[in-house]
Structures are given as C-alpha cells and as structure tokens.
C-alpha cells in the first residue's frame, strides 16, 4: 500500500516543476493549503443533504404540489397473475405478438386482455406527476441556492474579474473558508445524487447518469487535490447558471402552466448556449490553456486537467445540438394551419409553438406503444387549438412522448 500510495501521489505528475509535497505541508501560520483528506467531509455532508431532501420533498415540495392541484395519482393496478408477473420480471415488459399469443393460449385469455395487463403493469411502476414535481423542486432549490452562493462568493474574489489570478503564486494559494465550503457543498451534492439514483425515478439513462456523477466527483476531487480550486469555482459557476432554469421549466410543465414553461425553456436554451458555447471556451479554456501556460507552464496533471475540460466542451456541443433539435422539432410540430371561414371563406393562419420543456428522460410511454388496443380519439387539432395541448397528445401531464433526447443533465461537470 505504501508503494501504491507513493506511485499515485507522484510529485512529478501532480505538481509543477521544482515543487514538492513537503513545500505544501508547512504553510504560513494561520494559513492552509488544500489536502485530499479534506474531501472526506463531503461524505457525511452528502448523507445530511439526502436527509434534508427527504424532508423537503415530503413536507415542502408536496405541499406546493398540492397547492397547484398536483395530487398523488392512484393508477389502475394489474390484477395479480403469477404467470404474467414472471414473464414481466424475467423475460420482457413489452411482449411481442408471438409472446402475446402464447400467453393467451396458456391462460385462456384474449390477446387484448393480456396486452392490457402488461400496459397496466408497466404503468404501475411509473412515478406520478406529483413525485416528479417534488424531485424537480428539490433540484431547482439546490441549484438556485448553490448558484446564488457561488456568484456572491466569486464576486468578492480577484480571479472572477481577472482569470490570471487563478495561476499567480500557484500552487501556493491559500484555502479560504468560502472556497472550501463551495467545493465541499458541490462535491457532497453529487455524492448524494449518485446515492439517490438507486431510490429516485428509474430512467433509461440510469447507467449513463451514474457514470456522469462519478466523473463529476472525480473531476472535482482531482482539481481539489492539485489546488486548482480557483479555476474550478469558475467552471462550477458556469455550469450552475442554467441548471435551475431547466428544473423551473419542468416544474411549470408539471403544473400545466404551458406558457411559463415555454418561456423558461427558451430562457434556459439561450443561457445554456451562451454559457457553454461562448463563456466556457472564451473565459475558462482560455485561462486553463493559454494563461496558465504562460504563468506556470505545463506539467502532467496540467495536461490531464485540460484534456478533461476539452472533453467537457465536446459534451457541451453535443448537448447544445440535442437542445436545438428539441426546439426545432417543437417549432415544426406547431406547423401552420390554414382554416376556411364561412364568412367570406377567408384563410386564417394559426401558429402555435410548444417547446418540449418536460423531462425528456420521461418514463411515460407513447400512446402508439401502450394504447394499441385503445381507440384513438381527439388527436386532431382544430384551427384554434394548439398542436401540443398542455396535456399532450397522450394525456400524460404535458409530456410529449415523441421526445427521446435528454436535455437535463446537460447540467454539470
């Protein structure tokens, strides 16, 4: 273990030339440098955040949901059936025609009845709008609070206004209480997110988000270990800028305030594009790549840190493309309609835009998949009815089931 520790904490990798761990072990009286052991405090804090979240969702977010008439939904449960339950849990949740015919003969049921049982069973495991509202309200509250704290803290620092201060006297930069609190709070939140994934709403991108949270924790811890906290706070602030806006749009969508949802989604998109495609490369990457090169010069962990930030920029471009595609699809689906009027046969032009500002990782299945055995009614929009009604074509509380991409987690490192 000693040999492994010595190899992992190799000074030639972590620190600039002519700097050793011994140089950082003895700061001036009353001062302190970041140490990896400090990050252990994030684990009990993560447990505390998770506990606060449970109380927040149960007492505060739930009360807000009820005040907005978002009640706990009691869906129709599938009747108990051992044969179908075994197929559902161990073989398939959405059987094809061959399986349906086999089960129909085995149980002496009509195929439509078997199909209906599987639809009810799938819906039985899906979260209600009330549950999703409470989860989004917690995320919105934390993202907004940490963003406000980050802005207030950074406005008092010199590197907010001149990024070259991120590298002056590096790595002999003192750890201040505000800097420590900001970092540990962000790290604890992502630890809490990773743990709560196992109890949260199960989504199709569970593994991807688990890896994302793990990578975020690794990047935050890495920048703390080699004392790149100053530039790290700038990165976190840039990413926190748009996160709460997306959660706010989702809250408006769950509450069926469609115009507010549209507005918040547009604001989120603009802020996301500006922060991730303009501010991040011009402000962050410029200082980590060029200003740091001129002031401290490159070394191994410097190369790794910048490589990770460049990969992050690639992800920003991909996420921006997905968000833009969602907005364009929404505009195209709000297609123009010409209507003939009895008085004079005049052509009226009706245009309605409803951006997809719901949680695009939604578990809600499309009506084409679930309601194949149910007659479709009311899918035609009239001349004066928006193509996307607040309940959506499948009546799932504003969720457009045709949207497959993910805009949430656009969020963080």
């Amino acid at each position: 273990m000693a040999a492994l520790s010595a190899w992992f904490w190799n000074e030639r990798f972590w620190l600039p030339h002519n700097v050793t761990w011994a140089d950082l072990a003895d700061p001036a009286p009353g001062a302190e440098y970041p140490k990896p052991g400090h990050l252990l405090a994030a684990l009990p804090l993560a447990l505390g955040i998770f506990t606060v979240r449970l109380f927040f969702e149960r007492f505060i977010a739930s009360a807000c949901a009820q005040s907005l008439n978002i009640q706990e939904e009691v869906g129709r449960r599938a009747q108990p059936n051992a044969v179908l339950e075994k197929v559902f849990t161990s073989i398939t949740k959405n059987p094809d025609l061959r399986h349906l015919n086999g089960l129909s003969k085995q149980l002496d049921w009509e195929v439509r009845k078997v199909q209906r049982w599987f639809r009810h069973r799938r819906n039985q495991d899906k979260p209600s709008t009330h549950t999703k509202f409470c989860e989004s309200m917690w995320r919105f509250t934390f993202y907004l609070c940490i963003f406000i704290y980050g802005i207030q803290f950074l406005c008092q620092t010199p590197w907010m206004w001149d990024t070259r201060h991120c590298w002056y006297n590096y790595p002999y930069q003192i750890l201040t209480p505000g800097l420590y609190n900001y970092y540990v709070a962000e790290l604890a939140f992502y630890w809490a997110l990773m743990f709560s994934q196992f109890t949260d709403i199960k989504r199709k991108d569970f593994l991807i988000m688990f890896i994302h949270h793990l990578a975020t924790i690794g990047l935050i811890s890495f920048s703390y270990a080699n004392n790149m906290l100053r530039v790290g706070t700038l990165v976190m602030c840039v990413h926190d800028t748009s996160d709460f806006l997306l959660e706010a749009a989702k809250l408006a969508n769950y509450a069926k305030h469609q115009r507010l949802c549209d507005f918040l989604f547009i604001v989120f998109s603009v802020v996301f594009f500006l922060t991730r495609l303009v501010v991040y490369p011009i402000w962050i990457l410029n200082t980590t790549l060029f200003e740091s090169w001129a002031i401290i010069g490159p070394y191994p962990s410097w190369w790794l840190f910048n490589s990770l930030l460049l990969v992050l920029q690639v992800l920003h471009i991909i996420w921006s493309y997905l968000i833009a595609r969602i907005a364009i699809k929404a505009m195209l689906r709000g297609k123009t309609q010409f209507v003939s009027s009895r008085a004079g046969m005049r052509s009226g032009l009706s245009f309605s835009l409803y951006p997809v500002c719901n949680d695009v990782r939604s578990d809600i299945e499309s009506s084409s998949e679930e309601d194949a055995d149910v007659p479709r009614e009311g899918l035609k929009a009239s001349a004066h009815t928006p193509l996307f009604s607040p309940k959506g074509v499948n009546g799932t509380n504003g969720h457009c089931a045709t949207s497959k991409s993910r805009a949430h987690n656009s969020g963080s490192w």
Side-chain angles (χ1 to χ4, degrees):
M1 292 299 297
L4 181 62
S5 177
W7 170 82
F8 183 81
W9 296 108
N10 192 319
E11 295 169 343
R12 294 183 179 179
F13 172 81
W14 288 95
L15 301 175
H17 302 296
N18 300 322
V19 179
T20 65
W21 292 118
D23 298 333
L24 299 174
D26 189 22
E32 189 174 12
Y33 297 133
K35 296 178 181 178
H38 295 164
L39 298 179
L40 295 176
L43 296 178
L45 183 58
L47 181 61
I49 290 176
F50 183 71
T51 304
V52 171
R53 172 188 172 172
L54 295 179
F55 280 94
F56 180 89
E57 291 186 358
R58 182 171 182 178
F59 297 105
I60 300 178
S62 181
C64 292
Q66 292 178 3
S67 68
L68 294 170
N69 294 322
I70 304 175
Q71 305 295 333
E72 285 281 6
E73 301 165 6
V74 181
R76 182 184 300 177
R77 301 183 67 85
Q79 68 181 85
N81 188 293
V83 175
L84 296 181
E85 185 67 28
K86 184 176 181 180
V87 174
F88 183 86
T89 56
S90 60
I91 299 177
T92 177
K93 296 182 179 181
N94 197 0
D96 55 19
L97 184 59
R98 181 176 63 85
H99 282 100
L100 290 173
N101 288 329
L103 292 170
S104 174
K105 294 178 181 179
Q106 182 179 353
L107 298 173
D108 195 22
W109 284 11
E110 292 183 0
V111 172
R112 290 165 64 88
K113 185 177 180 180
V114 177
Q115 190 177 24
R116 191 175 297 113
W117 186 95
F118 275 93
R119 185 178 73 251
H120 292 163
R121 183 63 181 83
R122 287 193 298 268
N123 290 335
Q124 180 178 314
D125 292 340
K126 291 175 181 174
S128 65
T129 303
H130 183 279
T131 301
K132 289 183 284 189
F133 179 91
C134 293
E135 180 182 315
S136 289
M137 187 171 181
W138 162 251
R139 293 174 185 264
F140 166 78
T141 303
F142 183 87
Y143 288 144
L144 180 61
C145 290
I146 198 67
F147 172 70
I148 293 174
Y149 176 84
I151 287 293
Q152 289 180 339
F153 168 73
L154 287 173
C155 286
Q156 304 171 18
T157 62
W159 60 87
M160 173 73 171
W161 314 107
D162 184 358
T163 53
R164 289 174 296 182
H165 282 275
C166 292
W167 314 108
Y168 290 153
N169 199 35
Y170 177 85
Y172 306 104
Q173 295 174 345
I174 302 302
L175 177 66
T176 63
L179 194 57
Y180 173 80
N181 294 336
Y182 190 20
Y183 244 76
V184 172
E186 289 272 10
L187 183 61
F189 177 71
Y190 283 102
W191 273 117
L193 276 185
M194 193 168 72
F195 295 148
S196 64
Q197 259 199 297
F198 297 95
T199 59
D200 282 349
I201 299 170
K202 294 297 186 296
R203 295 186 171 97
K204 296 178 181 179
D205 61 352
F206 174 86
L207 181 60
I208 295 175
M209 288 308 301
F210 183 83
I211 296 174
H212 170 268
H213 295 329
L214 196 61
T216 302
I217 291 171
L219 190 54
I220 293 176
S221 302
F222 174 79
S223 61
Y224 191 95
N226 65 356
N227 203 7
M228 289 188 177
L229 276 71
R230 294 184 177 184
V231 71
T233 57
L234 300 181
V235 175
M236 291 190 295
C237 184
V238 166
H239 286 79
D240 290 339
T241 304
S242 59
D243 287 347
F244 70 92
L245 292 171
L246 179 59
E247 297 299 332
K250 288 159 62 176
L251 291 175
N253 180 69
Y254 297 144
K256 301 179 184 179
H257 294 295
Q258 194 62 52
R259 290 188 177 181
L260 178 60
C261 172
D262 296 345
F263 172 75
L264 290 172
F265 182 81
I266 292 172
V267 174
F268 158 75
S269 301
V270 172
V271 172
F272 187 92
F273 296 148
L274 289 176
T275 54
R276 308 299 176 91
L277 301 183
V278 179
V279 175
Y280 181 82
I282 294 178
W283 194 40
I284 304 295
L285 293 182
N286 176 66
T287 188
T288 60
L289 288 170
F290 303 110
E291 293 179 348
S292 64
W293 182 292
I295 296 173
I296 63 174
Y299 55 98
S301 67
W302 180 94
W303 286 105
L304 177 59
F305 185 68
N306 279 283
S307 298
L308 295 174
L309 294 181
L310 288 172
V311 170
L312 197 58
Q313 180 59 37
V314 174
L315 294 177
H316 292 165
I317 296 173
I318 296 173
W319 288 329
S320 298
Y321 164 75
L322 295 176
I323 294 172
R325 191 174 67 174
I326 291 172
I328 292 173
K329 280 185 177 181
M331 294 177 65
L332 294 178
R333 290 182 182 280
K335 56 188 177 184
T336 56
Q337 300 175 5
F338 288 91
V339 212
S340 60
S341 171
R342 283 188 176 183
M345 299 295 290
R346 294 177 298 174
S347 294
L349 182 64
S350 174
F351 180 78
S352 180
L353 169 63
Y354 281 80
V356 186
C357 59
N358 57 295
D359 185 350
V360 289
R361 298 178 294 157
S362 174
D363 316 60
I364 302 300
E365 298 180 13
S366 65
S367 56
S368 61
E369 294 173 348
E370 289 222 3
D371 298 328
D373 58 331
V374 179
R376 297 191 177 202
E377 298 176 359
L379 295 184
K380 293 183 179 180
S382 67
H384 302 290
T385 302
L387 188 61
F388 290 167
S389 68
K391 292 192 73 170
V393 293
N394 57 354
T396 51
N397 296 303
H399 285 264
C400 174
T402 56
S403 180
K404 301 292 184 182
S405 306
R406 176 175 186 263
H408 167 69
N409 326 185
S410 59
S412 46
W413 284 39

